[in-house]
Amino acid sequence: LKQKAKALKTAPEKLREEKAERIKKAEEQGEFCPEHLYVIDFDGDARASQVDELTSKVNLILAKATDKDEVIIKLTSPGGVVNGYGLCASQLERIRNKGINLVACVDTVAASGGYMMACVASKIVAAPFSYVGSIGVVAQIPNFNKVLKNHDVEYEQVTAGKYKRTLTMFGENTPEARDKFKQEITLIHNRFKAIVAKYRTKLDIENIATGEYWLAEDAKELNLVDQISTFDEYLQNRLDFTKVCAIKISIDKDEKKSLKDILKKLLMAKTWIKTVRKQLTKAVECDNQYQIK
């Protein structure tokens, strides 16, 4: 029993020694082993409404992290508005600019603006059946001019500046306006390609910046991603080579409740109070009956 107890006491120490030896060998082979591992999530929508939360997380990381640490972002996004995702990518660039190793993990999708964010990372890890790519720009505007004309409705628009408005929803669009709108979309596309080419230097940017997307296995052959793995698998592996600890950063949200939710909660509380009151009444009655007997 004493020998077993001694073995149990030394087991954690043996694990620490084995990990230290594993890290030492990895570093001798040139592998980066971080002091701390910072983990964040980004689940984006078309409006990039999570940009403020991402900014807060990046601020927290930059307040503590150094170039000896690593940041892993679990990234999920089909893309969306240009300015919103441009800002999201810029927030991640702040991490790279501080010399901190940044890894983007994609389990399902990182397309368009989502891939713009991912390409800022020094490494992109993607699950086998995740979608990545879609390096392109799209804009679509319905035009009701013919409908208005059919109902004898005139539409007037006054602008100052030759290109204050190009395509409109209600006016009659001209070839010149269409050409100008196309130019603006092309400028955004060129800027998108420039960001991808800056961080993914092995890419044939003109060949892949067609708006297409690929499954991760095919994307790896095109140098769109670096490693095929799920987020959980990659994280578990990195934990084995992290010297101190991993830190998950999340932001608690104070969700605003509607009047309907508040009333529902109050009604539930009243129902609960009535139920408890009935149970107490029955208990007292039973107790009184017992005492009388």
Side-chain angles (χ1 to χ4, degrees):
L1 289 174
K2 288 182 178 180
Q3 289 178 348
K4 287 183 178 181
K6 185 178 180 181
L8 288 172
K9 287 181 180 179
T10 57
E13 184 62 32
K14 286 182 178 179
L15 290 174
R16 284 193 291 270
E17 289 177 357
E18 289 175 359
K19 183 176 182 179
E21 185 63 26
R22 183 166 60 247
I23 290 173
K24 182 181 178 181
K25 288 181 179 179
E27 288 184 325
E28 288 174 352
Q29 295 173 0
E31 184 176 339
F32 175 70
C33 297
E35 295 281 342
H36 302 90
L37 199 61
Y38 293 88
V39 182
I40 59 177
D41 292 334
F42 182 89
D43 193 355
D45 57 24
R47 295 178 293 111
S49 57
Q50 299 76 14
V51 64
D52 289 340
E53 183 178 323
L54 175 65
T55 302
S56 297
K57 291 177 180 179
V58 172
N59 288 340
L60 288 170
I61 289 171
L62 294 182
K64 292 293 182 181
T66 69
D67 57 3
K68 296 180 180 179
D69 301 321
E70 182 173 300
V71 177
I72 300 177
I73 177 170
K74 183 183 180 184
L75 199 159
T76 305
S77 175
V81 294
V82 173
N83 54 354
Y85 275 96
L87 181 55
C88 288
S90 295
Q91 294 299 340
L92 295 183
E93 282 185 307
R94 293 171 59 202
I95 297 175
R96 284 291 302 270
N97 292 339
K98 288 289 185 179
I100 301 170
N101 196 47
L102 175 64
V103 178
C105 289
V106 183
D107 271 355
T108 54
V109 59
S112 194
Y115 186 74
M116 184 193 293
M117 292 177 64
C119 75
V120 174
S122 55
K123 178 188 285 188
I124 301 177
V125 179
F129 285 91
S130 61
Y131 283 117
V132 295
S134 189
I135 303 171
V137 184
V138 62
Q140 49 194 4
I141 302 173
N143 185 268
F144 300 97
N145 185 254
K146 290 182 180 179
V147 176
L148 296 179
K149 284 182 177 180
N150 289 337
H151 290 82
D152 295 324
V153 177
E154 292 186 1
Y155 173 76
E156 292 187 8
Q157 179 175 261
V158 179
T159 63
K162 184 177 180 181
Y163 295 117
K164 181 60 180 177
R165 283 289 179 269
T166 51
L167 298 186
T168 72
M169 292 179 63
F170 302 106
E172 185 172 354
N173 291 318
T174 65
E176 183 184 11
R178 292 189 184 94
D179 289 342
K180 179 59 179 175
F181 195 79
K182 176 66 175 176
Q183 291 174 22
E184 292 170 350
I185 294 297
T186 302
L187 286 173
I188 296 171
H189 188 213
N190 289 337
R191 180 58 186 144
F192 190 174
K193 291 192 295 183
I195 293 174
V196 176
K198 175 182 176 181
Y199 292 108
R200 307 292 302 178
T201 55
K202 295 181 181 180
L203 275 177
D204 181 353
I205 190 65
E206 295 303 329
N207 186 42
I208 57 90
T210 58
E212 298 172 84
Y213 57 84
W214 295 268
L215 287 172
E217 293 281 0
D218 299 318
K220 187 173 184 296
E221 293 181 6
L222 295 169
N223 293 314
L224 284 158
V225 302
D226 302 294
Q227 182 177 333
I228 304 299
S229 175
T230 64
F231 162 74
D232 295 298
E233 182 182 14
Y234 182 79
L235 176 60
Q236 189 61 52
N237 178 266
R238 293 308 285 157
L239 288 173
D240 290 338
F241 292 91
T242 300
K243 296 176 183 177
V244 182
C245 66
I247 303 167
K248 175 67 182 292
I249 296 178
S250 59
I251 307 295
D252 291 332
K253 296 181 180 179
D254 294 328
E255 295 184 1
K256 294 181 180 179
K257 295 183 178 179
S258 65
L259 181 60
K260 181 181 177 181
D261 292 332
I262 295 171
L263 290 173
K264 184 178 179 181
K265 187 174 181 180
L266 287 172
L267 289 172
M268 289 176 64
K270 287 182 179 179
T271 303
W272 181 81
I273 291 170
K274 288 180 180 178
T275 303
V276 172
R277 188 179 294 164
K278 287 180 181 179
Q279 291 177 347
L280 287 172
T281 302
K282 288 180 181 179
V284 171
E285 288 175 353
C286 290
D287 191 44
N288 289 338
Q289 290 174 6
Y290 176 77
Q291 289 179 2
I292 291 170
K293 289 179 179 181

